[in-house]
């Protein structure tokens, strides 16, 4: 577990450096009067929502890292038998790529004050994300219909655990995305959405990166990496 400890220290260090650069660690509560200038953002106070999201992503990254470490350690057991993966996972991966790309377009459109394109891109991202979620449910249906239950084999259980944990994170993001779309429909509120649209894009890029890693694990592309990790973790 020393390797995972080093990994967590790296994640914590990156998050700490980000917070320091944003001026969050300047301990304003210890100073008298109002702070004249912060270290980042042109002397402006740090963005609370963006800082909170970065901290949350660091915690979520640690969670998925633990799940991946457990996957690598368990897959070396004698009773591990990888199930045939539903083909719809490829389609779902493409849908999530489209969703991440659409939100990137929405964030870029917001910066250029292209409100109409931003609204279309946000809606496209939401639709592609829903397609991904329904596709994941269809994959679960295929697994159960094929007799690959979670209680039957640890490999089956990890399939449901990894895909379920990722889907829950996407569901949470969708709640914010739907709220953003509702606010974007009121054109007078567009100016207040710049930060929210950017945060949605960052969150979806994170979800895409995590899913590509999980997909590589499930397909078996990371088996060699798993052998190396098991030797390091054991």
């Amino acid at each position: 577990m020393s390797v995972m400890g080093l990994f967590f220290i790296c994640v914590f260090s990156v998050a700490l450096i980000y917070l320091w650069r944003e001026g969050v660690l300047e301990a304003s509560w210890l100073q008298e009067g109002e702070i004249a200038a912060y270290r980042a953002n042109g002397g402006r106070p740090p963005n609370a929502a963006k800082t909170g999201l970065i901290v949350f992503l660091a915690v979520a990254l640690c969670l998925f890292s633990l799940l991946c470490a457990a996957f690598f350690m368990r897959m070396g057991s004698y009773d591990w038998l990888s199930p045939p993966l539903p083909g719809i996972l490829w389609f779902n991966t493409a849908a999530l790529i489209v969703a991440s790309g659409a939100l990137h377009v929405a964030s870029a459109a917001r910066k250029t004050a292209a409100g109409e394109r931003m609204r279309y891109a946000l809606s496209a991202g939401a639709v592609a994300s829903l397609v991904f979620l329904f596709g994941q449910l269809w994959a679960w249906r295929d697994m159960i219909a094929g007799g690959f239950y979670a209680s039957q084999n640890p490999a089956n259980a990890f399939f449901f655990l990894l895909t379920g944990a990722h889907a829950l994170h996407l569901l949470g993001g969708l709640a914010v995305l739907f709220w953003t779309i509702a606010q974007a429909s009121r054109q007078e509120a567009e100016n207040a959405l710049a930060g929210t649209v950017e945060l949605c894009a960052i969150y979806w890029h994170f979800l895409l990166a995590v899913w590509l890693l999980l997909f590589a694990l499930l397909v078996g592309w990371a088996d060699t990496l798993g052998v190396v990790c098991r030797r390091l973790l054991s």
Side-chain angles (χ1 to χ4, degrees):
M1 295 302 292
S2 58
V3 175
M4 292 306 299
L6 289 175
F7 178 78
F8 291 148
I9 290 175
C10 289
V11 173
F12 177 76
S13 299
V14 171
L16 200 61
I17 291 173
Y18 173 81
L19 295 177
W20 176 77
R21 291 188 59 187
E22 290 293 309
V24 177
L25 304 181
E26 292 186 5
S28 58
W29 57 89
L30 296 179
Q31 302 184 27
E32 295 182 359
E34 188 174 352
I35 296 179
Y38 285 82
R39 183 175 293 109
N41 299 321
R44 297 189 302 273
N47 186 315
K50 190 173 183 178
T51 301
L53 177 64
I54 296 300
V55 173
F56 174 77
L57 293 184
V59 175
L61 181 60
C62 291
L63 169 66
F64 281 107
S65 300
L66 283 173
L67 292 176
C68 291
F71 182 93
F72 283 137
M73 294 183 71
R74 193 66 177 85
M75 71 183 295
S77 304
Y78 69 93
D79 58 346
W80 184 273
L81 185 60
S82 298
L85 294 182
I88 196 172
L89 289 182
W90 293 90
F91 176 78
N92 298 346
T93 302
L96 192 57
I97 292 174
V98 171
S100 180
L103 290 177
H104 183 78
V105 171
S107 180
R110 181 64 197 89
K111 293 176 181 175
T112 57
E116 192 71 16
R117 188 168 59 181
M118 181 194 72
R119 285 189 288 275
Y120 282 131
L122 286 175
S123 301
V127 170
S129 299
L130 287 175
V131 169
F132 174 82
L133 279 180
F134 282 114
Q136 295 296 77
L137 288 176
W138 193 268
W140 280 28
R141 172 192 169 278
D142 282 352
M143 289 284 290
I144 295 172
F148 300 102
Y149 303 104
S151 58
Q152 188 182 39
N153 187 278
N156 300 350
F158 266 99
F159 173 85
F160 288 103
L161 175 63
L162 295 176
T163 55
H166 182 268
L168 284 177
H169 281 75
L170 185 59
L171 271 176
L174 269 177
V176 177
L177 182 57
F178 283 135
W179 178 85
T180 305
I181 292 173
Q183 293 297 308
S185 62
R186 299 164 47 205
Q187 296 188 4
E188 65 272 15
E190 280 186 5
N191 293 332
L193 288 178
T196 308
V197 174
E198 181 187 6
L199 296 184
C200 286
I202 293 174
Y203 190 63
W204 253 256
H205 296 337
F206 171 79
L207 289 177
L208 175 61
V210 169
W211 171 248
L212 291 178
L213 172 63
L214 299 181
F215 187 58
L217 293 182
L218 296 173
V219 172
W221 291 341
D223 286 354
T224 303
L225 177 62
V227 173
V228 175
C229 288
R230 279 200 305 276
R231 290 177 180 175
L232 293 174
L233 293 169
S234 59

